[in-house]
Amino acid sequence: MKRQLLLIFALFMIPVYFSFGQKKNITGQVSSEKGEKLSNVTISIKGQSTASTFTDANGEFKIQADDDDILVFTLVGFSKHEEAVKGRSRLNVQLFTEEQSLEEVVVIGYGTQKKGNLTGSVSQIQSEQLQHRPNLSTSNALQGLAPGVTITSQTGSPGGDAAQIRIRGISSFGGSDSSPLVIIDGVAGSLDNLDFNLIESISILKDAASAAIYGSRAANGVILVTTKRAKDKIAIDYKGYVGFQEPTAIPKVSDGFTLMRMFNEANINDGNQITYTDADIEEFRKLYEADPSNFDWQGAILTENGFTHNHFVGLMANSGIIRVAPSFSYSTQEGLLKNTGFTRYNFRNNMDIAPSEKLSIKMDVAVTNKNRRQIASEGTVWNYLGRMPTNLPIRHPNGLWAEGWVKNNPVAFIEEGGNRKTNNIEFYGNISLNYKPTNWLSINGTVAPRYETRNRHTFTKSVDVYDVNGISQGAANTFTDLEETSYRDYYGSYYLTATADKRFGNHNFTLMAGTSRESYNDKFLMGYRRDFIYDTYEVLKAGADNETKGNNGTVEEWLLVSAFGRFSYSFKDKYLFEANIRHDGSSRFSKNNQWATFPSFSAGWRISEENFMQPLKSTVNQLKIRASWGKLGNQNIGNTYYPFTSELAVGSISLNGEVHPIVTLNDMANPNLKWEETTISGVGLDAQLFNKFSFTFDWYNKTTEGILMKLYITQLAGLNAPFQNAGKVENKGWEFSTRYDNKFGDFRLGVGFNISDVKNKILDMRNTTDGTFLRQQTGYAINSIYGYIADGLYQNEEEIKNGPTQFGTLQPGDVRYKDIAGAFDANGNPIPDGVINDADKTIIGSTIPRYTYGLNLDLGYKGLRLSGFLQGVGKADGYLNSHYVVPLANASAVKPWQEDYWTPDNPNAALPRLSHVSTNNTQNSTFWMRDASYLRLKNIQLGYEIPASFLSKLKVSKAFIYVNGQNLFTKTKFYEGYDPEINYDASSSEGVTLGNGNFYPQVKYYTFGIDLKF
């Protein structure tokens, strides 16, 4: 056993060195055309895979070679250079910068391609763009970096801040998943389980030409992540930061005196007696002055500073035959609430073995362990953050918990109300063999298992509250209970591909063919008990063994088998053509509809390579137009893995005092259910000028058909309506991105900007609609807002008399709605019918962001660096209702901006008159809808790279220190105290939640960090 452990350790961690024959030492230095010393340049001997080295921080290198050997020098961003030894013992070499990375290799589906030869729409994000962002969820760090990619985040909750990603709009509704496919080093995975320090680059495939190779999984776009692999001969990296957080926005509240005054005024408006007498107000004054903190609910809830720190250690070792890159990271983030937080451990090792020039082996392994701590009733806590009446105490003078509101005391919940603990462990493996029998043919086989466990422990304790006399008033949670849930997921991925790349004169052909098998198996187990005698012993066995206990368990799985291929052709590297095809079979459909074929075609013309453009080559370095068409599929439809059939409902029934198990069929099956299909066409333009300025423009039309819907069937069927492929959605839009980089002596300047526009529209729903508030309706965007059109406030009884009949008893100061329903005149305009009812509702807003943009600025002077990043949304609508915005709704606390309400002395108020009972003013309408566009300072950083001359004494090759701020500033017209992204809920079926504000707020980060390389 000991020998086995030593062997495994040596295989993963120890580079193996080989040398052959009698060679002599060759030394030298590598610099750029501007005289800069270049570090990390790879030097190898042509034709040998066993000999290589790297330049140090001063550009110096040392390698053993024969007199007749040829040394090859390579560095990303520079042209490859070959230099013959010819008996020399020292070589000074100069590398030349590539023309703004025209030869840069971009990762695409099952392969790579030169950026200059791309015919599809691909956005690339480099590791430098993700560095020093204190996001534990990598999806959040991508926000604003790529045009056409809309990323929204509702919350900054530790471990729960994963963002919602949409590529070129939303293509489906009704429960179908609109999330893109994430591929990590060739295998499907989770973006948020990956430490951003591990990422080398990200390619986002946005059109059918680039994504069709993934067929049925690519309808919503594909995100390809490439992790870092060993390059240096040996190097150790440390990256770490520490910092703290605070909310970007919380709803401030007015004091208890303001609340009682407005409460009484609402009573009078409603024709009732006042609630708070002068004696009550005076009593409150005495208590408040004696201990103001006892009425500061927000101060008692938000007691923590969200301390966070992250540490990453990575080793790279390269012997020429074996390259290893093991790494370990530890991340922790405390919450803004006591007893909340998140911890993550990541271990990953990327290993490359090249025993010969023909054979290479990749062996990767990764383990992620995530632990999240929450309050059992955390949603209730956030609900009451801006709601708890400020005239109610937190504790009574005797120290007992006060009643709060309807027995809900959020501070008591935090202290004694239980906990929710979630543990996720993921194991990922990837073994890949690549064999090149000739220099133009490559065969690759991959086996990649992924296993994940998700365990949640929810222990909710009953917390008694008391009146001022110390008498128990009961508890909001009437009993203590425990629920344990466990998921075990296994993903199996198997790939086999063959790629032939051959050039004949001016003709270059690439042919790739492959097959894959992907499977998923999920096991769920749940146990529940309540009535715990010992409410500190959090195990199921401690709960009562009676009729209240429960358990459940399920098994679900799917299988996807595919064959795919790609043909690429270029003539003189200026006329480009590519075709992709994929044939998929999915277990989610019946046998007659299991298989579908998804093709794509694209072409490009590199105008800059034409002879007539050569006089302008120094000015126009790259000019390319491209066009594409293709079809993609979506198998992630519905909320079950068997959408084409009806699942039996298992339950029980009581007859004659006995419980009998029963099995029922409630839903009608639809064996004709098939894939949702998305067709995308588009054109694009890529340009690069003066080797400093580049830009890309894309226009696209994306249409999805066969969207799942439930259509009306006769009730005589006796079953609920089945899903059918009936909906059709269109997304049209454009994208633009540009970048300028230049250097003026020791001063460096970089400016980047991107913007995109998408128009979303439902084209067909078979004359049906869905949703009474969050609406799906033909002719409008998915997830539109549905309600009345508000037309100001009534100012007097005369206006009420002459207006339409509305809701309840109207008074001056109530909201007036537009009467738009009734008959139509000769011109097709509606004739008001004098009554406001459901027929007067219409689409009033769209939750889909129309314009999204990002602007980044990079400045450098010698070792000093300053960078800033602005991100925003140009057009979107948001909505809050109930006590979050309506004054005194549910007897809630008053917010300062709610004090601007209608009275005869304040007729131009922002809000209607005060009332406890009005049903008119709380209708869903444009009155409560707000502009959710925003501009956010997403990130700003000031750093300094310590001079190499100083570091050499410390045996450190590189050191960079920095201070960083994130989400520091947000400009928006949305409701004060609430973030404009609050309506985007990645956990909901449609990705949007309207009306509510009971979520952990987004947070500002303030961090200090250091990067070291040894």
Side-chain angles (χ1 to χ4, degrees), residues 628-862:
S628 66
W629 175 93
K631 184 173 289 187
L632 304 170
N634 183 16
Q635 65 149 356
N636 297 323
I637 58 177
N639 53 10
T640 171
Y641 293 123
Y642 322 102
F644 67 92
T645 189
S646 295
E647 297 185 36
L648 298 175
V650 181
S652 59
I653 190 172
S654 177
L655 294 173
N656 297 324
E658 295 183 0
V659 177
H660 300 273
I662 61 170
V663 178
T664 60
L665 180 64
N666 299 324
D667 302 316
M668 183 177 290
N670 180 10
N672 297 319
L673 205 65
K674 58 183 181 180
W675 309 77
E676 291 180 355
E677 293 187 344
T678 298
T679 302
I680 308 177
S681 57
V683 294
L685 174 69
D686 301 324
Q688 182 176 293
L689 308 176
F690 306 104
N691 281 325
K692 298 178 178 66
F693 175 73
S694 63
F695 70 86
T696 298
F697 177 83
D698 279 277
W699 175 91
Y700 64 89
N701 189 340
K702 177 179 176 182
T703 303
T704 302
E705 300 182 77
I707 296 172
L708 288 190
M709 290 179 54
K710 286 188 175 182
L711 304 179
Y712 172 79
I713 62 172
T714 176
Q715 294 182 351
L716 296 177
L719 296 172
N720 297 324
F723 280 107
Q724 301 182 47
N725 296 102
K728 185 176 181 180
V729 170
E730 176 187 72
N731 288 276
K732 282 185 177 180
W734 54 266
E735 305 161 1
F736 174 77
S737 64
T738 183
R739 177 78 188 180
Y740 175 80
D741 289 281
N742 205 351
K743 188 174 182 181
F744 309 92
D746 291 327
F747 180 75
R748 298 182 300 277
L749 170 66
V751 181
F753 175 72
N754 71 80
I755 185 171
S756 60
D757 172 31
V758 60
K759 297 178 182 178
N760 180 274
K761 182 190 292 186
I762 299 175
L763 300 180
D764 187 18
M765 288 185 64
R766 304 284 179 89
N767 297 318
T768 65
T769 58
D770 184 40
T772 57
F773 185 20
L774 191 64
R775 185 82 160 184
Q776 321 300 344
Q777 183 172 317
T778 301
Y780 296 92
I782 293 174
N783 296 334
S784 291
I785 304 174
Y786 188 68
Y788 298 105
I789 299 175
D791 191 24
L793 302 175
Y794 284 113
Q795 296 297 325
N796 51 59
E797 292 290 348
E798 186 67 20
E799 289 185 3
I800 295 174
K801 181 180 179 181
N802 295 330
T805 302
Q806 294 189 183
F807 307 93
T809 302
L810 295 179
Q811 294 184 27
D814 283 341
V815 179
R816 177 173 55 214
Y817 302 110
K818 283 190 176 182
D819 184 4
I820 62 174
F824 293 87
D825 61 21
N827 297 321
N829 299 315
I831 302 173
D833 60 2
V835 178
I836 300 297
N837 52 32
D838 283 349
D840 295 288
K841 290 183 178 180
T842 187
I843 300 295
I844 58 176
S846 173
T847 61
I848 297 179
R850 175 74 186 275
Y851 303 103
T852 57
Y853 58 89
L855 172 66
N856 60 288
L857 175 67
D858 299 298
L859 302 174
Y861 180 74
K862 293 186 177 180

Side-chain angles (χ1 to χ4, degrees), residues 532-662:
F532 282 67
I533 297 177
Y534 301 103
D535 63 3
T536 58
Y537 191 35
E538 301 179 23
V539 296
L540 283 175
K541 188 177 180 180
D545 187 10
N546 56 28
E547 67 279 0
T548 63
K549 67 181 181 181
N551 57 73
N552 195 9
T554 60
V555 176
E556 295 181 314
E557 56 188 359
W558 55 257
L559 175 66
L560 182 68
V561 178
S562 309
F564 46 86
R566 176 171 55 233
F567 171 75
S568 301
Y569 168 74
S570 69
F571 177 67
K572 293 185 176 180
D573 285 335
K574 59 184 177 182
Y575 306 116
L576 314 170
F577 174 78
E578 182 173 297
N580 292 272
I581 190 167
R582 179 155 173 146
H583 190 57
D584 283 322
S586 173
S587 63
R588 289 187 169 185
F589 305 101
S590 62
K591 292 184 178 180
N592 293 333
N593 296 310
Q594 277 187 341
W595 293 91
T597 302
F598 306 102
S600 76
F601 305 93
S602 61
W605 177 25
R606 294 181 67 183
I607 304 173
S608 54
E609 301 305 304
E610 295 289 355
N611 291 333
F612 62 81
M613 290 292 295
Q614 296 314 301
L616 301 175
K617 192 66 175 177
S618 61
T619 302
V620 183
N621 316 118
Q622 163 87 318
L623 181 61
K624 178 177 64 177
I625 59 173
R626 47 190 166 75
S628 66
W629 175 93
K631 184 173 289 187
L632 304 170
N634 183 16
Q635 65 149 356
N636 297 323
I637 58 177
N639 53 10
T640 171
Y641 293 123
Y642 322 102
F644 67 92
T645 189
S646 295
E647 297 185 36
L648 298 175
V650 181
S652 59
I653 190 172
S654 177
L655 294 173
N656 297 324
E658 295 183 0
V659 177
H660 300 273
I662 61 170

Side-chain angles (χ1 to χ4, degrees), residues 984-1010:
Y984 302 105
D985 187 358
S987 64
S988 68
S989 61
E990 297 297 345
V992 175
T993 300
L994 286 183
N996 295 329
N998 58 328
F999 306 105
Y1000 194 111
Q1002 287 216 45
V1003 292
K1004 302 176 184 179
Y1005 286 88
Y1006 305 89
T1007 55
F1008 168 79
I1010 185 169

Side-chain angles (χ1 to χ4, degrees), residues 129-150:
Q129 296 172 269
L130 303 175
Q131 293 298 308
H132 313 133
R133 289 192 175 192
N135 295 98
L136 293 185
S137 293
T138 302
S139 58
N140 249 318
L142 302 183
Q143 192 172 41
L145 294 180
V149 182
T150 302

Side-chain angles (χ1 to χ4, degrees), residues 929-942:
M929 188 174 70
R930 289 292 183 274
D931 182 355
S933 62
Y934 66 90
L935 170 64
R936 176 169 286 155
L937 179 57
K938 193 67 181 178
N939 194 272
I940 187 168
Q941 177 184 287
L942 178 63

